[in-house]
Amino acid sequence: MPGAFGVDLRIAALNLAQHRRRSLLLGGALAAVTGLFVLLSALTAGVRDTMVRNSTALDCGHVNVGGFFKITSGQAAPLVTKYPAVLEVIRREVPELAYAVPRGRGFAKMIGPGGSVWSPVTSLDVTKEPGFRAAVRIESGSLDGMAKPDALLLFHTQAEKLGVKVGDTVTLSAPTAGGINNVIDLTVVAIAHDLGLMSAFSSFVSMPALTRMYRMTDDSTGVILVYLKDIGKAPAVIERLRAAFLKGGWKLMDPDPNPFFMKFDKVNREAWTGQKLDLTTWKDELTFMSWVFTALDAITLILVVVLLGIAVAGIMNVMWIAIRERTREIGTLRALGVQRRQILRMFMIESILLGFAGALAGGVAATLLAVVVTAVRIPVPLVVQLFLLSDHLILIVKPGTFLLAVLGITAVTGVAALYPALRAAKLKPVTAMGHAG
């Protein structure tokens, strides 16, 4: 590399090579700090991605077009009537759409040979929901069995409580919108591995079964789940859909960032009848996740601050030692006519070069470790599964995080070395050359 900078860079590299032991120790420390930062960020990203992906597959879409139908002013049911017309508006107004599917919503008592449980009951068409198929791991049976009109999918814990296996019959009992208690028999076609807290309260039936149990018309459903190519576009899509539905003459509920089941009391107190649509994002339906993400962000921030504090203290100490060891060298350079700014630049380039090399090595090692950990599917304790919504650990290193870690640690190294380098540049030649260290 031509020019003064190339000369300074070569001198810095030679100095690092000459003091190999010190360079390796400090570089290793920087690599460790960077690696821990990358792994911590990968864990946070993995937890967040897993929770969002699995919960939206099981419980809601990125955008949800649900609503309530009131036969009388005090009796509401979670229904969207004439949903094909609603689907038509969604497909017309949302170019970001990946796919949209209707799901029926209900709550029923499930009775098996080993016991009974109350559980939310949701209709499912797996042929139209690739996200569900990707999120759920089947323990026994087959998801394809959900194509049958009397099909029931349970999770492991529910199947144990009911004392059933694939092929057994489970009786579902639920009140209809008209106040009549209806009973149907369904066949267990698949049992899936538990997916944390949500799977303990989820069961899925075929759409014909739910329609029959609640005596709904064929053009009625509980909600339309809208999945986008980019989940970050959900708020913008909500606003666009609200405008389109209002323009089309649909009645809408006021925005309310809560799950649909928390709105029954409020809706029942309102003096209207007929249909009102309710538009929500995945964040609205999964409000319980907000505190998990907040806690994760807080823990990550605290640990990052601690790691950076350790890195800064270590760099400054090592730089002071390096300057003390090289005081006579600095004096000689100054006596030969090297300017203070050149001394400063030499030490800064040396520190930044060491910081970049250490950070890059640590970031690459952490990324490889994250890939291996995810590939070997390390199991996590049950208490972690409840919130993670997965039975194994997933680490995701995002390119932006990797770049931030490497450049951030490099910058921190340069800043930490600035004061010692300034002190070195200010040494007087006579004083420095007479130093005995």
Side-chain angles (χ1 to χ4, degrees):
M1 185 181 298
F5 179 76
V7 174
D8 290 339
L9 184 63
R10 185 168 180 273
I11 291 172
L14 290 173
N15 281 332
L16 291 175
Q18 183 179 2
H19 302 90
R20 189 177 298 107
R21 184 177 179 182
R22 187 179 65 228
S23 300
L24 289 175
L25 286 174
L26 182 55
L30 291 171
V33 170
T34 308
L36 287 172
F37 177 80
V38 171
L39 287 175
L40 184 62
S41 300
L43 177 61
T44 302
V47 169
R48 189 184 295 269
D49 183 81
T50 302
M51 291 181 70
V52 171
R53 183 181 65 251
N54 290 346
S55 58
T56 52
L58 262 65
D59 188 69
C60 65
H62 300 158
V63 170
N64 308 278
V65 182
F68 292 89
F69 187 85
K70 299 180 70 173
I71 300 174
T72 64
S73 60
Q75 188 177 12
L79 285 175
V80 177
T81 58
K82 300 179 181 179
Y83 80 82
V86 178
L87 262 176
E88 184 180 343
V89 174
I90 293 170
R91 288 169 178 156
R92 183 181 69 244
E93 298 293 332
V94 186
E96 305 94 335
L97 182 69
Y99 60 94
V101 291
R103 277 195 188 177
R105 286 169 164 173
F107 193 76
K109 184 178 183 179
M110 297 191 295
I111 306 166
S116 63
V117 296
W118 283 92
S119 172
V121 179
T122 306
S123 68
L124 176 70
D125 184 350
V126 291
T127 63
K128 298 178 181 178
E129 295 200 41
F132 186 92
R133 189 179 287 272
V136 173
R137 291 196 302 124
I138 298 301
E139 183 179 293
S140 58
S142 171
L143 269 179
D144 295 330
M146 290 299 294
K148 299 177 181 178
D150 61 345
L152 172 65
L153 182 151
L154 298 172
F155 287 90
H156 178 84
T157 299
Q158 291 176 317
E160 279 193 337
K161 290 179 179 178
L162 296 172
V164 295
K165 59 183 183 300
V166 171
D168 290 346
T169 299
V170 174
T171 300
L172 272 66
S173 174
T176 65
I180 301 171
N181 205 61
N182 200 16
V183 177
I184 62 171
D185 289 334
L186 300 180
T187 302
V188 179
V189 298
I191 296 175
H193 288 278
D194 286 334
L195 273 177
L197 194 61
M198 293 185 67
S199 65
F201 305 101
S202 299
S203 55
F204 295 89
V205 302
S206 60
M207 190 62 195
L210 196 73
T211 300
R212 191 167 78 251
M213 184 168 67
Y214 287 100
R215 300 185 178 181
M216 299 188 303
T217 58
D218 290 338
D219 65 348
S220 296
T221 189
V223 62
I224 297 174
L225 307 187
V226 180
Y227 293 93
L228 307 174
K229 298 171 185 176
D230 179 2
I231 192 172
K233 299 289 183 63
V237 169
I238 282 276
E239 294 304 315
R240 198 183 314 141
L241 285 176
R242 288 189 68 86
F245 282 123
L246 288 172
K247 185 178 179 181
W250 297 82
K251 294 181 180 179
L252 300 183
M253 292 175 57
D254 294 331
D256 183 0
N258 283 299
F260 82 96
F261 56 82
M262 295 179 65
K263 301 176 182 178
F264 275 95
D265 288 343
K266 178 183 176 181
V267 171
N268 284 332
R269 290 195 301 268
E270 296 174 347
W272 56 270
T273 57
Q275 173 78 67
K276 275 193 177 184
L277 297 180
D278 182 30
L279 277 64
T280 59
T281 66
W282 65 273
K283 289 183 178 180
D284 300 332
E285 296 291 335
L286 302 170
T287 51
F288 78 95
M289 283 190 179
S290 61
W291 70 267
V292 178
F293 292 156
T294 301
L296 277 173
D297 291 340
I299 293 171
T300 301
L301 178 61
I302 292 170
L303 291 177
V304 166
V305 170
V306 171
L307 288 173
L308 289 178
I310 294 172
V312 169
I315 294 163
M316 290 188 72
N317 284 332
V318 172
M319 285 301 295
W320 279 117
I321 294 170
I323 290 168
R324 184 177 179 83
E325 289 178 350
R326 296 163 61 185
T327 301
R328 296 188 69 181
E329 176 188 333
I330 295 168
T332 303
L333 290 172
R334 293 283 286 115
L336 292 173
V338 176
Q339 299 298 313
R340 287 179 175 177
R341 64 176 180 274
Q342 291 176 289
I343 297 292
L344 173 63
R345 188 169 62 213
M346 182 181 70
F347 275 97
M348 290 299 297
I349 291 175
E350 187 175 325
S351 301
I352 291 172
L353 183 61
L354 180 59
F356 179 75
L360 183 62
V364 170
T367 301
L368 293 175
L369 180 60
V371 171
V372 171
V373 167
T374 303
V376 299
R377 302 177 70 92
I378 297 176
V380 296
L382 181 60
V383 67
V384 178
Q385 292 182 31
L386 292 178
F387 299 100
L388 184 58
L389 306 184
S390 175
D391 59 357
H392 65 282
L393 193 61
I394 296 176
L395 302 179
I396 299 176
V397 178
K398 296 187 175 180
T401 302
F402 178 90
L403 192 62
L404 176 64
V406 173
L407 296 183
I409 294 297
T410 302
V412 167
T413 304
V415 171
L418 181 60
Y419 182 67
L422 283 170
R423 290 294 300 272
K426 290 180 179 179
L427 285 172
K428 295 180 179 180
V430 174
T431 306
M433 290 181 67
H435 194 271

